[in-house]
Amino acid sequence: MDTFNNPEKRFLRSPRGVSDSLDEMGQAFSWRIQADTLRFSFVSPGAERLSGFSASEWREEGFLLRNVPSQDLSQLKYKLAQATKKSGTVDFCLRSFDGSLIWLLSSVGPGKKKQEVQGVSILRERSERLEFEELKRSQERLELILANVADGITVIDAQDNFLYANQAAANMCGFPSPEEMLLTPAEKLMECFELRGENGQAFDPEDLPGRRALAGEKNPPEVCVQVKAKKTGRETWSILSAVPIFDDKGNVKYVVSVFRDFTERKRDEETLKLMNEAGVLFSSSLDYRSVLQSAAAMIVPTFADWCAVYVKEVTQEVPEAIAVAHVNPKKVEWARQLQREFPPDWNAERGVGAVLRTGISEIYSEIPVELLALTAKSDRHLSLLKEAGMKSVMMVPLKSRTAIYGVIALISAESGRRYTKTDLRAAEDLAFRAGMAIENALLYRQAQEAIRSRDDFLSIASHELKTPLTTLKLQSQSSKRSIDKKGYLEPEFTIKYVESVLRQSDRLNRLVEDMLDISRINTGRLSILAEEVPLVALAEEMIDRMGSQFRRLHCEVELVAKKEVHGFWDRQRIEQVLQNLLTNAVKYGGGKPIRVSVEEEEGATAVIRVRDQGIGIAPADQRRIFERFERAVSANEVSGMGLGLFIVRQVLELHGGSISVNSDLGRGAEFVVRLPLRLKE
Amino acid sequence: MVCKILIVEDDDDIRETLTDVCAGEGHDVVGARHGREALDLLKDNVSGKCMVLLDLMMPVMDGKSFLEAVSTELPQRLNDLSIVVFSAGASISHPLVKGFLKKPVDLDEVLSMVNANCTTEA
């Protein structure tokens, strides 16, 4: 029964059927072969005619092995083995007697004996075979190209069924392989995603180019949409385009859709936009604190879900969190609370502290629990960190070309974004721009302070110059008035007058010298001329020279020294140092005794101590007093230009020495000068 | 006319010169090195009508603080006092200030200011 229902088998069994007719026409022949030994037991006369080999040659052992090209032989052996059980077809090439190839299309089926296969082979034109192979190769090439293009490509039929999808399309739609995607109806597929347009609004799937093409639109415009997979929350950007293919009657037969993953480009675009906005922002103000706060707010949520900015100015011991940003204000408060409870470890080997110290960025594309555990300071801290749901972190230094000012930490959490090296480069670029903005702001501040100091200096200098001038003018006018009245000047008045004139001219000279010294310091022209100086003798001489000043203010000065201390210094400059320190001690000493001591320390350093018992200097002011135009008390309170100690420090530093002060408010002050006995070469 | 004058000036030379000159003109002069010293003198030693020549930049208590302190600590003396500021900088606006002399001050100006503001016969 089976045989009769199968026309192929019927044909093969018929001894004088179509095969014989074909044989007679010279286009076909029949044969029998043992599938295990590949040895023919019978070939019909057509075989001799078509191949040029005799029937006995056909029946020789190894005939097929010798005359079938190897690329066809393995397939032929396999098909013959199958044909021992089941009918089928096989086509193969045979090298004919004259060496040319003939192509044989064969129907095969089980023979009567065990392992026997019988078959009928028809001669096919070789050109047909080449055409067929070329078509096959071209299809394979196309398959290969489509499978490997970065763009997703799908084909649906008019009934909305997927006919084709490449690997990229499957990946973009969240399927492991195209085959699985093809099993899902197109309309079901759309339910897996949420679409948003470039304006951030929900995008109607019916406006997608594929749907419009299916509805017959010839050139639906391409669209750029944000695609969020409902299952994973992953967000990507795609550019979608589609073309309809029509049948003869003008009906849509297929729709070919192309999806281009635009996520990276979109991110780059957004980053570029952010950079431009940041550039404008950073150049908009010199108040870098408010600029950094705005920058943090700008970074969230485009670039990060959380953003924290830390800055450490020279005067600050610990960096300060200038900005913490998140789209949800409640979370910002939560983060601030977390920071207060668990402030960052600025000495840690990794994290914000390390970035601040080294200026080298850190990136953690993934944050495993182990890393959190390493950072956490307690179980509670760990559970709070887990609660934040951090997915990826970057920490970049806020630095300019010359200094590191702080750190920007960017954290991705609910967006699920994973930072890449490209993101890190963008963040570094942003932080560098911010660093330059800070540097500009600080330079501006310094310039403003310098201007303020200069104005203060001019105001103080004019006041200071006017004081001796006032005395000189008043005394000269008073003398003249006396002479006008009496015709002469009383001797005691004359002496007093002359002494005062000398004192005022000394004072004017000192002021002018101080100003010249400042100018020399500013231009690096302050120089020293070293000679051997006996320091104790010099101190004695200075105290003696300033005796009248001490006496006028009823101030006692005691000099304590065990032995002479010799050193190589600029004598005039050391005189200037002593005079300055003694003048200050008198000025601020409240009329109480002043103690000066000179000693040698370890045979290498001379130490001068000048101690008063006056108003003292608050610890907060002690560093300041050695700066230009600075003094512990306000300009309104004490006369003097505030240059003395600055010049003293510069002179001492030029000698390789130093000056410091031990004091407290109301407890007097002790200035300590250290001078190497010899100048370093 | 003899005036009682209080000179408040931290610079010894200026204070002494002004004291000498005003005393030479026959006025009754007393000096103070800063605002606090002047305030103490007004409380304990200098009674009745008085002219005050007040510098602004001084240690311990400057001129401006002195004006505030006089208002709060010696309200009963306000009518007695005639205050003239003399300074190298600008004057300050204060209801108690009657006049201003700019350093380096001219002796004739000082004396005419003394005469104009002298309200007391010593």
Side-chain angles (χ1 to χ4, degrees):
Chain A
M1 284 291 285
D2 184 28
T3 306
F4 284 101
N5 286 338
N6 186 326
E8 201 176 61
K9 280 187 179 174
R10 219 168 42 206
F11 154 75
L12 286 168
R13 293 224 171 165
S14 140
R16 290 201 54 82
V18 183
S19 74
D20 285 356
S21 316
L22 284 168
D23 199 350
E24 279 161 17
M25 284 161 67
Q27 291 300 308
F29 62 97
S30 57
W31 44 266
R32 282 195 298 278
I33 194 170
Q34 282 300 117
D36 45 357
T37 61
L38 293 183
R39 192 165 177 178
F40 286 98
S41 52
F42 160 78
V43 285
S44 66
E48 281 182 84
R49 278 196 306 277
L50 288 172
S51 68
F53 289 112
S54 67
S56 59
E57 279 173 316
W58 271 87
R59 287 198 298 271
E60 275 174 14
E61 194 178 341
F63 176 80
L64 279 184
L65 299 180
R66 282 193 298 278
N67 298 307
V68 174
S70 57
Q71 66 263 35
D72 284 12
L73 190 66
S74 55
Q75 194 202 359
L76 178 62
K77 274 154 86 176
Y78 173 73
K79 291 274 184 168
L80 289 175
Q82 277 193 323
T84 57
K85 294 183 184 108
K86 198 178 161 198
S87 303
T89 58
V90 58
D91 55 329
F92 61 95
C93 283
L94 184 81
R95 197 172 287 111
S96 61
F97 187 73
D98 62 5
S100 64
L101 285 172
I102 54 171
W103 182 28
L104 300 168
L105 179 66
S106 314
S107 288
V108 288
K112 287 174 186 159
K113 296 179 190 163
K114 197 182 174 195
Q115 287 295 316
E116 190 185 54
V117 173
Q118 52 183 347
V120 175
S121 292
I122 305 168
L123 180 72
R124 295 290 289 269
E125 286 299 322
R126 183 157 161 67
S127 60
E128 275 182 68
R129 157 92 182 206
L130 292 175
E131 220 171 78
F132 172 76
E133 282 185 347
E134 181 52 36
L135 192 67
K136 209 167 136 193
R137 271 200 297 276
S138 143
Q139 191 178 350
E140 278 168 4
R141 270 202 301 273
L142 190 65
E143 286 273 344
L144 196 71
I145 291 166
L146 288 176
N148 287 291
V149 289
D151 292 351
I153 297 167
T154 61
V155 181
I156 54 168
D157 63 14
Q159 286 71 46
D160 209 3
N161 296 312
F162 275 114
L163 298 180
Y164 175 80
N166 69 351
Q167 187 64 47
N171 291 351
M172 281 184 218
C173 296
F175 290 96
S177 68
E179 289 74 19
E180 284 186 56
M181 186 174 171
L182 296 183
L183 295 173
T184 312
E187 59 188 285
K188 281 261 180 208
L189 190 69
M190 289 317 301
E191 289 171 11
C192 302
F193 303 104
E194 266 175 35
L195 302 179
R196 286 188 184 283
E198 285 189 287
N199 55 7
Q201 303 293 314
F203 191 92
D204 183 357
E206 287 308 313
D207 285 337
L208 289 173
R211 313 308 295 166
R212 292 169 73 157
L214 193 64
E217 195 171 329
K218 275 185 184 164
N219 285 310
E222 66 173 27
V223 295
C224 182
V225 288
Q226 189 182 30
V227 185
K228 183 177 178 181
K230 286 181 186 167
K231 206 164 141 193
T232 59
R234 186 167 170 260
E235 287 177 341
T236 52
W237 281 91
S238 285
I239 291 182
L240 307 179
S241 57
V243 281
I245 293 170
F246 299 96
D247 61 15
D248 302 341
K249 293 172 188 156
N251 298 318
V252 175
K253 195 174 176 191
Y254 307 117
V255 171
V256 180
S257 296
V258 178
F259 321 57
R260 172 158 295 179
D261 189 339
F262 200 59
T263 313
E264 282 295 314
R265 287 271 297 280
K266 195 76 188 167
R267 266 190 198 169
D268 289 350
E269 261 180 27
E270 279 174 353
T271 307
L272 195 68
K273 198 171 144 216
L274 188 71
M275 292 291 162
N276 287 338
E277 284 172 7
V280 173
L281 180 71
F282 291 147
S283 57
S284 67
S285 164
L286 284 163
D287 174 9
Y288 77 82
R289 286 171 162 264
S290 69
V291 165
L292 286 173
Q293 281 159 3
S294 315
M298 206 165 76
I299 285 168
V300 169
T302 319
F303 206 37
D305 298 311
W306 290 94
C307 178
V309 183
Y310 302 94
V311 168
K312 183 176 176 293
E313 283 198 40
V314 182
T315 51
Q316 288 175 314
E317 299 248 324
V318 180
E320 181 190 355
I322 279 193
V324 176
H326 187 277
V327 275
N328 181 348
K330 276 185 188 162
K331 287 206 168 187
V332 172
E333 193 35 54
W334 176 87
R336 286 195 182 279
Q337 189 89 35
L338 183 71
Q339 292 233 333
R340 276 193 288 273
E341 200 177 339
F342 302 103
D345 179 0
W346 295 103
N347 297 315
E349 280 180 27
R350 286 195 292 185
V352 279
V355 176
L356 184 68
R357 282 197 309 276
T358 62
I360 299 168
S361 310
E362 287 183 17
I363 177 168
Y364 300 96
S365 297
E366 295 286 340
I367 305 179
V369 180
E370 299 80 55
L371 188 68
L372 283 185
L374 220 73
T375 321
K377 289 170 184 162
S378 66
D379 288 346
R380 187 177 133 70
H381 192 198
L382 181 62
S383 72
L384 287 171
L385 287 176
K386 281 184 188 166
E387 197 183 311
M390 295 187 281
K391 297 282 188 307
S392 199
V393 172
M394 295 191 284
M395 285 163 278
V396 288
L398 268 170
K399 63 177 178 183
S400 68
R401 286 185 186 87
T402 53
I404 306 169
Y405 301 106
V407 182
I408 301 182
L410 301 142
I411 300 165
S412 115
E414 45 284 332
S415 68
R417 177 175 184 158
R418 300 295 195 276
Y419 290 124
T420 61
K421 284 190 174 166
T422 314
D423 294 326
L424 185 67
R425 274 197 296 278
E428 281 173 341
D429 190 12
L430 182 84
F432 179 71
R433 286 166 193 237
M436 293 302 287
I438 295 177
E439 184 160 270
N440 285 342
L442 292 179
L443 284 173
Y444 178 74
R445 193 199 286 174
Q446 275 173 19
Q448 290 294 99
E449 278 168 6
I451 291 169
R452 188 183 53 77
S453 285
R454 189 202 61 193
D455 290 348
D456 282 358
F457 172 70
L458 288 175
S459 142
I460 293 163
S462 65
H463 177 268
E464 286 307 302
L465 290 169
K466 279 181 180 178
T467 302
L469 284 177
T470 303
T471 310
L472 284 172
K473 193 171 174 183
L474 281 174
Q475 285 191 326
S476 306
Q477 285 175 333
S478 173
S479 304
K480 185 172 179 292
R481 199 177 169 86
S482 196
I483 293 167
D484 286 349
K485 221 186 259 178
K486 299 174 193 164
Y488 65 95
L489 207 56
E490 280 132 358
E492 67 270 28
F493 188 88
T494 310
I495 292 169
K496 207 176 166 185
Y497 170 62
V498 171
E499 274 178 356
S500 175
V501 167
L502 286 172
R503 228 175 15 251
Q504 301 316 318
S505 27
D506 279 351
R507 196 165 159 179
L508 279 169
N509 186 48
R510 262 199 320 277
L511 287 169
V512 172
E513 279 300 327
D514 274 3
M515 284 193 255
L516 284 172
D517 276 347
I518 287 297
S519 162
R520 287 187 191 110
I521 290 167
N522 283 345
T523 52
R525 285 185 294 116
L526 189 70
S527 60
I528 49 176
L529 209 66
E531 60 180 303
E532 189 174 347
V533 179
L535 193 56
V536 177
L538 182 67
E540 214 168 0
E541 190 189 321
M542 287 308 299
I543 292 167
D544 199 40
R545 217 190 288 170
M546 292 172 72
S548 61
Q549 199 177 328
F550 300 142
R551 278 191 297 279
R552 276 178 63 240
L553 294 163
H554 314 291
C555 185
E556 283 176 30
V557 181
E558 178 195 12
L559 173 66
V560 183
K562 283 182 189 157
K563 56 169 189 144
E564 184 55 89
V565 178
H566 289 277
F568 282 84
W569 306 299
D570 187 318
R571 186 188 171 93
Q572 282 192 338
R573 289 294 177 189
I574 300 303
E575 268 182 35
Q576 190 183 10
V577 168
L578 286 167
Q579 188 177 24
N580 245 300
L581 294 179
L582 285 167
T583 308
N584 278 344
V586 174
K587 197 192 281 181
Y588 300 108
K592 292 179 187 149
I594 294 163
R595 186 177 189 271
V596 180
S597 74
V598 180
E599 61 185 335
E600 195 178 294
E601 209 174 65
E602 294 165 359
T605 312
V607 182
I608 308 166
R609 289 187 165 83
V610 179
R611 171 155 194 86
D612 68 58
Q613 297 171 51
I615 55 174
I617 304 156
D621 295 324
Q622 287 176 10
R623 207 173 69 169
R624 213 159 54 77
I625 54 171
F626 298 106
E627 299 299 327
R628 207 176 315 211
F629 313 135
E630 293 286 1
R631 35 184 161 198
V633 289
S634 79
N636 285 343
E637 290 175 353
V638 168
S639 57
M641 287 201 285
L643 290 175
L645 285 175
F646 174 69
I647 295 170
V648 163
R649 198 190 88 196
Q650 299 291 325
V651 164
L652 291 171
E653 284 178 0
L654 216 56
H655 280 86
S658 65
I659 183 165
S660 59
V661 65
N662 307 314
S663 180
D664 216 333
L665 262 189
R667 292 170 179 244
E670 182 187 53
F671 283 86
V672 183
V673 168
R674 287 175 195 282
L675 267 174
L677 296 182
R678 284 182 173 277
L679 293 175
K680 279 186 188 147
E681 288 304 320
Chain B
M1 195 162 56
V2 178
C3 291
K4 196 181 283 178
I5 306 171
L6 172 58
I7 297 170
V8 194
E9 162 68 63
D10 64 321
D11 188 88
D12 298 336
D13 288 321
I14 295 180
R15 192 180 61 249
E16 281 168 22
T17 308
L18 275 175
T19 306
D20 287 350
V21 170
C22 293
E25 292 295 311
H27 299 297
D28 181 7
V29 192
V30 60
R33 286 179 297 172
H34 47 73
R36 174 51 56 194
E37 210 170 271
L39 210 61
D40 290 344
L41 281 171
L42 285 174
K43 277 178 186 167
D44 304 327
N45 298 72
V46 181
S47 57
K49 303 264 184 195
C50 176
M51 182 195 167
V52 181
L53 266 177
L54 180 69
D55 185 20
L56 291 179
M57 285 165 76
M58 290 180 291
V60 186
M61 182 188 278
D62 64 16
K64 200 176 169 192
S65 308
F66 169 80
L67 290 168
E68 298 306 318
V70 167
S71 307
T72 54
E73 293 178 34
L74 295 171
Q76 74 282 7
R77 297 291 307 274
L78 293 183
N79 286 332
D80 293 342
L81 305 178
S82 180
I83 300 174
V84 172
V85 164
F86 73 122
S87 161
S91 178
I92 51 168
S93 154
H94 193 281
L96 291 179
V97 177
K98 298 283 192 294
F100 174 66
L101 292 168
K102 192 170 174 66
K103 288 178 183 174
V105 66
D106 200 89
L107 184 61
D108 290 338
E109 278 174 11
V110 175
L111 294 176
S112 61
M113 191 64 94
V114 167
N115 287 331
N117 288 280
C118 183
T119 50
T120 315
E121 285 180 26

